[in-house]
Amino acid sequence: MVGSAGDFMLLLEALLKGGAPLLPERLVREMTTNQIGELPMAYWPGRGFGLALRC
């Protein structure tokens, strides 16, 4: 990922708003959905992994 601090802030603000206006809501929902299901994580209980984001 390449961009300025301002670009990164725009991305973070869009994620907080469910994606608008940069990303479709459906994409953000998929990115923040736990992709590993109930797979136990011994050193990080109660957490999961989304697509590029921790859940």
Side-chain angles (χ1 to χ4, degrees):
M1 187 164 122
V2 177
S4 67
D7 293 337
F8 191 59
M9 279 302 292
L10 288 174
L11 175 62
L12 293 177
E13 288 173 354
L15 291 173
L16 284 172
K17 295 177 184 175
L22 301 175
L23 303 167
E25 182 181 337
R26 184 172 156 246
L27 176 62
V28 174
R29 193 170 39 248
E30 188 68 25
M31 290 171 66
T32 57
T33 298
N34 184 7
Q35 301 294 318
I36 63 172
E38 297 300 317
L39 183 67
M41 296 177 58
Y43 298 104
W44 209 352
R47 298 298 294 259
F49 285 97
L51 301 175
L53 302 171
R54 283 181 265 145
C55 302

